[in-house]
Amino acid sequence: MQPLTIVQVTPHSWKTRHEVNEFVRRSSEELSACGHRVLIAAPAATRKAAREARSAIAAARQRPAGLFKSDGPRLLEVGGRVALPRGPRPRPAPIAVDASRDLEVLLGSVPIDIVHVHEPFAPSLSSTALRHSNSLNVGTFHEPSERVLSTQVARPLVEIFFGRLDARTVTCSQTAELLERYFPGSYELIRPGAGAKPRHSDREGGPLRILFCLEEERGALRLFLRALRRLPPDLDWEATVLTPSPSDTPLRIARALRERIRLVGPAAGPPEDLIADADVLCAASGGPAPAPQLIRMALAGGAVPVVSRLPLYSELVGDGSLGLMFVPGDAETMAGQIARLGEDRELLAEMRKRAKGAVPAWSEVADRLEEVYRKIAARRHDSAGDGNVRRRIARRKLIDVDLHMHTDHSPDCATPVEVLLETARDRGLGAIAITDHNEVSGALEAREMAAGMDGLQVIVAEEVKTAEQGEVIGLFIKERIPRGMTMSETIAEIHRQGGLVYVPHPFDRLHSVPDYEHLLDIVEEIDILEVFNPRVALTAFNDEAERFARKYRIVPGAGSDSHVAQGLGSVRVRIRNFEGPQEFLEAMRDADIARKHKNLIYVQALKFLQTTGRPKAPKRKVADAQPVRGGKPRRPARARSHRRSRSGRGGKS
């Protein structure tokens, strides 16, 4: 298979020992070993590292391939660390002020298939990468902790922001339950692996070897020491406490017990080295700072976990089948569980045996991630198109087209067909698509009238309201498509008629649009995505559509969405002249979109005056305009003089 170019982004400094960083590091190494080109982006710990990353990114503009290493993933520490002025002591800002620019250049200058962001809550390097990414995005959520700002205060905005994720994964089911409560969606569970060293040969006798790693909150260490005080006097045991700074970790415990406890620092090795020589690993967090990776390493390395009954820990030890548990804060029960394993070595051996295979290898984790990457990459369209058709139309003249407009056959528009046609001709358009709401009679009438107008093509189209998934336009259709069907049924009917699927204003929250999940469901069926609509209130909605079309390689389109003649041609798509939907689609692959911003308030006011602010003319019966399958469509029974009496000539209304 074709190798992928992947960027994994962590919100934590690479110098910090953190489970997210471990996940990123180990999975990146495995993905790189599979032949993929992998970059790791992390907040810079030093200004020197930030300068080196900035130089490498700048050089990649001229030579993108030079950014990657052949023997493993490349680490880029972006941004600089700026101390915040408030607080009892200086602390690093959550996102460096210059990291945004570095990421924007990186993600914009290097061809990237997948941007994999971890914990993409703002403000962080991951959320910044998601904001600048024009690639397919995967988000992984690790910690099952509620973030009040994201889940309560700014949830609607965060929900829209997470809409940029093309796949969502979690590392535990507790995280999935929390996220689905606030940000409904599909979350795939990919459990992290664990590093494990070959276990030292087990001794038949000897003391019970207990390990505690101070990666949880300080209160967990105090609880562990209280539990050691309560162990039976005749139990033979010894304990090792791994701490980042042994000199700053006082052991307030009796001297007789202190002689059994060994206090070690990072020089003794990583936790997996110590786990290889331990019988029991204790994790006593009360919830503020759990360290689930320690439990995974214990299960993989043969040490039986004794853990507090947190939902996250309970999930890892299989509700007690792979380890023993105690109520958080209960030192008495914790001591009893440790004593059980010391007094019943058969139980210790049995639980150690059960844990084999409970934690996946990192190579398995990388395989799962690759499946996710391949799945979303397979949705991308083939941008090559039909070469034969493109060569056939390459020498034809260029014309301007407008792909989205309405006539008075739509209930919210009062522009007569002949006024629209005359305005289109006067403004030099070579083709227009008439897309009345849930009606095709206006387009059929316009096509018949345009037959006598040299150089103006009318594409028969309809903007169809689906049951619950927004609107979709069928271009080059022959018959009216009824409203109220599902999106998939409507698309199937468009294709049955030989038409093209055109999705209008896909991210405009003020229009009836499909949500992101439904858009992903139909992404392979979309022929053209509207990336510019001048009637969209916020430019960001158009930008989001352009981003979506680019990363899925969908043919971009644009239309004025004009409901008044004055708005016609406010956006023009310049393409080669065409005949039929196939040539049109190939012509659109090389289209140039020219945007002419109209005053939205002015155009909307005209629409209001023409459709609401004046007495309505007698409503026509559109039933006569329905085409007869297999025959010639009948023209609506309405006199030409009546149409002119409503609005006059020249598009004035």
Side-chain angles (χ1 to χ4, degrees):
M1 290 187 184
Q2 187 74 17
L4 299 172
T5 302
I6 304 161
V7 177
Q8 292 217 60
V9 186
T10 172
H12 304 285
S13 170
W14 201 247
K15 302 299 182 183
T16 303
R17 179 177 174 82
H18 196 281
E19 295 187 16
V20 173
N21 288 352
E22 180 71 3
F23 187 101
V24 171
R25 180 178 70 85
R26 298 300 295 268
S27 62
S28 294
E29 290 172 351
E30 295 292 341
L31 289 166
S32 182
C34 294
H36 301 292
R37 302 195 303 175
V38 184
L39 294 174
I40 298 173
T46 64
R47 294 185 181 276
K48 179 182 177 182
R51 286 195 300 268
E52 291 174 352
R54 194 171 295 120
S55 298
I57 293 170
R61 287 180 164 181
Q62 303 297 326
R63 187 171 172 268
L67 195 60
F68 300 90
K69 294 171 60 177
S70 59
D71 58 346
R74 171 78 177 272
L75 173 64
L76 296 173
E77 296 185 70
V78 298
R81 292 164 67 88
V82 180
L84 293 178
R86 296 181 180 178
R89 57 183 179 179
R91 55 192 177 94
I95 176 67
V97 293
D98 51 351
S100 179
R101 177 59 180 164
D102 291 341
L103 282 176
E104 184 179 10
V105 175
L106 171 64
L107 301 180
S109 59
V110 179
I112 296 170
D113 295 302
I114 305 291
V115 174
H116 190 160
V117 293
H118 296 262
E119 305 285 32
F121 294 97
S124 69
L125 194 71
S126 296
S127 64
T128 304
L130 186 57
R131 178 160 57 90
H132 290 301
S133 172
N134 292 309
S135 308
L136 298 168
N137 301 312
V138 177
T140 295
F141 300 87
H142 297 260
E143 298 178 5
S145 56
E146 182 178 343
R147 292 164 170 81
V148 176
L149 177 63
S150 297
T151 60
Q152 301 292 338
V153 180
R155 183 167 60 177
L157 295 177
V158 175
E159 193 169 24
I160 294 173
F161 187 64
F162 282 175
R164 293 186 179 182
L165 295 173
D166 303 283
R168 307 183 190 190
T169 68
V170 293
T171 56
C172 67
S173 59
Q174 296 295 323
T175 303
E177 291 176 9
L178 176 68
L179 287 168
E180 286 185 10
R181 192 183 315 150
Y182 296 105
F183 309 109
S186 177
Y187 295 87
E188 184 168 349
L189 177 62
I190 300 180
R191 298 187 186 278
K197 295 295 179 70
R199 183 164 182 78
H200 300 169
S201 57
D202 292 323
R203 296 170 290 184
E204 291 295 331
L208 181 72
R209 293 157 293 181
I210 307 167
L211 176 65
F212 180 88
C213 300
L214 188 53
E215 293 190 8
E216 303 169 305
E217 69 272 15
R218 284 274 178 173
L221 175 60
R222 292 193 291 269
L223 184 69
F224 174 68
L225 295 177
R226 287 202 297 271
L228 294 182
R229 296 190 194 103
R230 289 166 171 76
L231 290 176
D234 58 343
L235 181 66
D236 189 12
W237 61 270
E238 62 183 28
T240 299
V241 176
L242 176 62
T243 173
S245 179
S247 60
D248 295 336
T249 309
L251 295 181
R252 296 183 176 88
I253 199 168
R255 179 176 297 179
L257 295 180
R258 195 182 308 160
E259 292 175 354
R260 295 187 177 193
I261 301 173
R262 183 168 63 112
L263 199 64
V264 299
E272 49 262 41
D273 287 348
L274 300 176
I275 285 172
D277 195 44
D279 296 313
V280 175
L281 174 93
C282 292
S285 173
Q293 188 64 21
L294 290 175
I295 300 171
R296 296 188 188 99
M297 285 190 288
L299 293 172
V304 177
V306 174
V307 300
S308 54
R309 194 183 290 273
L310 300 177
L312 178 57
Y313 286 178
S314 179
E315 178 182 340
L316 288 171
V317 300
D319 288 329
S321 63
L322 305 178
L324 302 181
M325 295 186 293
F326 58 91
V327 175
D330 187 352
E332 192 75 36
T333 304
M334 182 182 182
Q337 299 288 42
I338 296 172
R340 281 182 63 193
L341 295 172
E343 294 166 351
D344 188 349
R345 296 303 176 98
E346 291 184 1
L347 175 62
L348 182 71
E350 175 62 24
M351 300 201 79
R352 185 178 291 157
K353 183 178 179 181
R354 289 182 205 163
K356 287 185 177 180
V359 179
W362 282 111
S363 59
E364 297 176 43
V365 176
D367 289 342
R368 293 287 310 280
L369 289 176
E370 186 176 9
E371 288 177 11
V372 173
Y373 299 160
R374 294 289 186 190
K375 181 179 178 180
I376 61 175
R379 297 173 180 165
R380 293 183 296 189
H381 290 214
D382 180 8
S383 57
D386 190 325
N388 293 329
V389 174
R390 295 177 78 174
R391 284 189 291 271
R392 185 166 71 232
I393 65 175
R395 295 179 179 271
R396 295 184 187 170
K397 69 174 184 178
L398 291 168
I399 62 171
D400 289 343
V401 301
D402 189 337
L403 299 178
H404 190 175
M405 66 189 65
H406 301 271
T407 72
D408 58 356
H409 291 245
S410 285
D412 59 347
C413 179
T415 305
V417 171
E418 71 272 21
V419 172
L420 190 71
L421 292 175
E422 290 167 1
T423 305
R425 181 190 60 189
D426 294 344
R427 295 187 177 179
L429 294 173
I432 58 174
I434 295 182
T435 58
D436 287 323
H437 293 289
N438 308 304
E439 188 53 68
V440 77
S441 57
L444 292 172
E445 180 181 346
R447 183 177 64 180
E448 184 177 344
M449 293 178 62
M453 301 173 65
D454 294 336
L456 180 62
Q457 290 192 60
V458 172
I459 300 172
V460 177
E462 178 186 353
E463 187 169 5
V464 187
K465 180 72 174 292
T466 64
E468 296 178 348
Q469 293 137 347
E471 295 172 322
V472 64
I473 290 175
L475 299 176
F476 295 96
I477 62 175
K478 302 176 179 65
E479 304 171 354
R480 176 180 175 273
I481 299 174
R483 64 177 294 172
M485 297 191 296
T486 65
M487 179 66 80
S488 59
E489 290 171 342
T490 305
I491 288 175
E493 179 59 21
I494 292 171
H495 285 157
R496 186 193 70 79
Q497 296 189 31
L500 301 176
V501 175
Y502 178 103
V503 177
H505 39 68
F507 293 96
D508 184 5
R509 303 294 168 178
L510 304 181
H511 277 86
S512 177
V513 297
D515 59 34
Y516 202 86
E517 292 291 323
H518 289 135
L519 203 57
L520 290 179
D521 289 340
I522 65 170
V523 67
E524 295 166 282
E525 305 294 329
I526 300 172
D527 295 304
I528 302 172
L529 189 86
E530 189 173 75
V531 300
F532 183 75
N533 183 315
R535 292 186 65 243
V536 168
L538 299 178
T539 303
F541 295 151
N542 282 329
D543 293 341
E544 204 64 36
E546 188 173 357
R547 185 191 305 269
F548 188 87
R550 186 184 300 124
K551 69 180 177 180
Y552 280 107
R553 302 172 182 171
I554 304 173
V555 175
S560 63
D561 197 3
S562 176
H563 287 66
V564 293
Q566 289 84 347
L568 191 63
S570 55
V571 57
R572 295 166 179 259
V573 183
R574 174 154 289 191
I575 62 174
R576 296 289 175 181
N577 206 353
F578 60 90
E579 293 181 6
Q582 187 180 22
E583 289 189 356
F584 173 78
L585 184 60
E586 295 305 321
M588 287 292 296
R589 295 186 191 278
D590 299 318
D592 289 328
I593 299 175
R595 309 175 181 186
K596 180 181 178 183
H597 290 275
K598 282 278 186 181
N599 187 309
L600 180 60
I601 297 176
Y602 168 69
V603 174
Q604 290 293 82
L606 287 176
K607 175 187 171 184
F608 174 80
L609 290 173
Q610 293 182 18
T611 59
T612 307
R614 63 168 58 193
K616 293 186 178 180
K619 192 69 176 177
R620 86 175 73 201
K621 292 182 179 180
V622 297
D624 293 338
Q626 299 304 310
V628 179
R629 186 173 296 185
K632 185 177 180 180
R634 289 175 288 180
R635 186 164 179 162
R638 197 174 84 169
R640 186 178 182 87
S641 60
H642 176 63
R643 288 194 297 268
R644 291 183 178 177
S645 66
R646 287 180 56 189
S647 60
R649 301 284 295 176
K652 296 180 180 179
S653 56

